[in-house]
Short mmCIF file of all heavy atoms in Angstrom, two decimals:
data_model
loop_
_atom_site.label_atom_id
_atom_site.label_comp_id
_atom_site.label_asym_id
_atom_site.label_seq_id
_atom_site.Cartn_x
_atom_site.Cartn_y
_atom_site.Cartn_z
N LEU R 239 11.32 20.23 -9.47
CA LEU R 239 10.97 19.52 -8.22
C LEU R 239 10.41 18.17 -8.50
O LEU R 239 10.76 17.21 -7.84
CB LEU R 239 9.96 20.38 -7.39
CG LEU R 239 10.59 21.57 -6.66
CD1 LEU R 239 9.44 22.38 -5.99
CD2 LEU R 239 11.60 21.12 -5.63
N ARG R 240 9.55 18.13 -9.48
CA ARG R 240 8.95 16.81 -9.82
C ARG R 240 10.01 15.84 -10.29
O ARG R 240 10.02 14.67 -9.85
CB ARG R 240 7.87 16.96 -10.92
CG ARG R 240 7.13 15.77 -11.27
CD ARG R 240 6.09 15.99 -12.24
NE ARG R 240 5.00 16.83 -11.69
CZ ARG R 240 3.95 16.38 -10.95
NH1 ARG R 240 3.93 15.14 -10.70
NH2 ARG R 240 3.11 17.20 -10.49
N ILE R 241 10.95 16.34 -11.05
CA ILE R 241 11.97 15.48 -11.58
C ILE R 241 12.84 14.99 -10.39
O ILE R 241 13.19 13.75 -10.26
CB ILE R 241 12.94 16.14 -12.56
CG1 ILE R 241 12.11 16.53 -13.80
CG2 ILE R 241 14.11 15.33 -12.98
CD1 ILE R 241 11.41 15.43 -14.53
N VAL R 242 13.18 15.89 -9.47
CA VAL R 242 13.98 15.54 -8.29
C VAL R 242 13.18 14.48 -7.49
O VAL R 242 13.79 13.46 -7.07
CB VAL R 242 14.32 16.72 -7.46
CG1 VAL R 242 14.88 16.34 -6.11
CG2 VAL R 242 15.23 17.64 -8.19
N PHE R 243 11.94 14.76 -7.20
CA PHE R 243 11.12 13.79 -6.42
C PHE R 243 11.07 12.42 -7.10
O PHE R 243 11.26 11.36 -6.47
CB PHE R 243 9.72 14.30 -6.29
CG PHE R 243 9.56 15.42 -5.31
CD1 PHE R 243 8.62 16.37 -5.41
CD2 PHE R 243 10.42 15.48 -4.18
CE1 PHE R 243 8.53 17.45 -4.54
CE2 PHE R 243 10.35 16.51 -3.31
CZ PHE R 243 9.33 17.51 -3.48
N LEU R 244 10.90 12.42 -8.43
CA LEU R 244 10.88 11.14 -9.11
C LEU R 244 12.20 10.43 -9.07
O LEU R 244 12.24 9.17 -8.97
CB LEU R 244 10.42 11.37 -10.56
CG LEU R 244 8.91 11.64 -10.77
CD1 LEU R 244 8.63 12.10 -12.16
CD2 LEU R 244 8.11 10.39 -10.44
N SER R 245 13.26 11.20 -9.13
CA SER R 245 14.59 10.58 -9.13
C SER R 245 14.83 9.97 -7.76
O SER R 245 15.49 8.92 -7.61
CB SER R 245 15.66 11.69 -9.40
OG SER R 245 15.46 12.12 -10.72
N LEU R 246 14.29 10.58 -6.73
CA LEU R 246 14.53 10.10 -5.37
C LEU R 246 13.59 8.99 -5.00
O LEU R 246 13.80 8.28 -4.02
CB LEU R 246 14.37 11.28 -4.37
CG LEU R 246 15.44 12.32 -4.38
CD1 LEU R 246 14.99 13.48 -3.46
CD2 LEU R 246 16.79 11.81 -3.96
N LEU R 247 12.59 8.80 -5.78
CA LEU R 247 11.49 7.96 -5.41
C LEU R 247 11.87 6.59 -4.97
O LEU R 247 11.45 6.10 -3.92
CB LEU R 247 10.54 7.86 -6.63
CG LEU R 247 9.33 6.96 -6.47
CD1 LEU R 247 8.45 7.50 -5.34
CD2 LEU R 247 8.52 6.90 -7.71
N PHE R 248 12.74 6.00 -5.73
CA PHE R 248 13.10 4.63 -5.42
C PHE R 248 14.27 4.47 -4.47
O PHE R 248 14.77 3.35 -4.24
CB PHE R 248 13.28 3.84 -6.70
CG PHE R 248 11.97 3.68 -7.43
CD1 PHE R 248 11.62 4.53 -8.45
CD2 PHE R 248 10.96 2.76 -6.97
CE1 PHE R 248 10.44 4.42 -9.05
CE2 PHE R 248 9.78 2.74 -7.57
CZ PHE R 248 9.52 3.47 -8.61
N LEU R 249 14.71 5.64 -3.99
CA LEU R 249 15.76 5.60 -2.98
C LEU R 249 15.17 5.73 -1.57
O LEU R 249 15.83 5.53 -0.58
CB LEU R 249 16.75 6.75 -3.19
CG LEU R 249 17.53 6.69 -4.56
CD1 LEU R 249 18.39 7.89 -4.67
CD2 LEU R 249 18.35 5.46 -4.65
N LEU R 250 13.89 6.10 -1.55
CA LEU R 250 13.25 6.30 -0.25
C LEU R 250 12.97 5.03 0.45
O LEU R 250 12.61 4.01 -0.24
CB LEU R 250 11.96 7.07 -0.46
CG LEU R 250 12.07 8.52 -0.96
CD1 LEU R 250 10.72 9.07 -1.27
CD2 LEU R 250 12.84 9.32 0.03
N PRO R 251 13.12 4.97 1.75
CA PRO R 251 12.94 3.71 2.50
C PRO R 251 11.58 3.05 2.30
O PRO R 251 11.47 1.90 2.08
CB PRO R 251 13.06 4.14 3.96
CG PRO R 251 13.86 5.40 3.92
CD PRO R 251 13.52 6.10 2.59
N GLY R 252 10.53 3.83 2.22
CA GLY R 252 9.14 3.24 2.06
C GLY R 252 9.00 2.60 0.77
O GLY R 252 8.14 1.70 0.59
N CYS R 253 9.79 3.00 -0.23
CA CYS R 253 9.59 2.42 -1.56
C CYS R 253 10.15 1.04 -1.62
O CYS R 253 9.78 0.32 -2.53
CB CYS R 253 10.28 3.28 -2.64
SG CYS R 253 9.36 4.84 -2.82
N GLY R 254 10.99 0.64 -0.75
CA GLY R 254 11.44 -0.73 -0.70
C GLY R 254 10.29 -1.73 -0.46
O GLY R 254 10.31 -2.85 -0.86
N SER R 255 9.25 -1.25 0.20
CA SER R 255 8.14 -2.10 0.53
C SER R 255 7.28 -2.40 -0.69
O SER R 255 6.44 -3.29 -0.64
CB SER R 255 7.24 -1.46 1.57
OG SER R 255 6.67 -0.29 1.01
N LEU R 256 7.56 -1.64 -1.80
CA LEU R 256 6.72 -1.91 -2.95
C LEU R 256 6.93 -3.31 -3.56
O LEU R 256 6.11 -3.81 -4.21
CB LEU R 256 7.01 -0.87 -4.06
CG LEU R 256 6.54 0.55 -3.68
CD1 LEU R 256 7.07 1.51 -4.76
CD2 LEU R 256 5.01 0.59 -3.69
N GLY R 257 8.12 -3.85 -3.25
CA GLY R 257 8.44 -5.15 -3.89
C GLY R 257 7.89 -6.32 -3.09
O GLY R 257 7.98 -7.47 -3.51
N THR R 258 7.35 -6.11 -1.92
CA THR R 258 6.81 -7.20 -1.11
C THR R 258 5.50 -6.81 -0.53
O THR R 258 5.18 -5.62 -0.37
CB THR R 258 7.83 -7.46 0.13
OG1 THR R 258 7.95 -6.23 0.84
CG2 THR R 258 9.15 -7.94 -0.33
N VAL R 259 4.73 -7.81 -0.17
CA VAL R 259 3.42 -7.51 0.36
C VAL R 259 3.58 -7.23 1.80
O VAL R 259 4.22 -7.97 2.58
CB VAL R 259 2.46 -8.75 0.21
CG1 VAL R 259 1.12 -8.48 0.84
CG2 VAL R 259 2.30 -8.97 -1.29
N GLN R 260 3.05 -6.11 2.30
CA GLN R 260 3.11 -5.68 3.69
C GLN R 260 1.98 -6.28 4.47
O GLN R 260 0.84 -6.25 4.01
CB GLN R 260 3.09 -4.19 3.81
CG GLN R 260 4.23 -3.49 3.10
CD GLN R 260 5.56 -3.89 3.80
OE1 GLN R 260 5.74 -3.61 4.97
NE2 GLN R 260 6.48 -4.46 3.05
N PRO R 261 2.22 -6.90 5.61
CA PRO R 261 1.13 -7.38 6.43
C PRO R 261 0.35 -6.22 6.95
O PRO R 261 0.81 -5.07 7.14
CB PRO R 261 1.86 -8.04 7.58
CG PRO R 261 3.24 -7.48 7.66
CD PRO R 261 3.50 -7.05 6.25
#
Side-chain angles (χ1 to χ4, degrees):
Chain R
L239 283 175
R240 183 176 295 276
I241 297 304
V242 169
F243 284 149
L244 284 167
S245 298
L246 291 173
L247 180 61
F248 292 99
L249 299 177
L250 294 173
C253 289
S255 67
L256 288 172
T258 57
V259 175
Q260 297 297 300

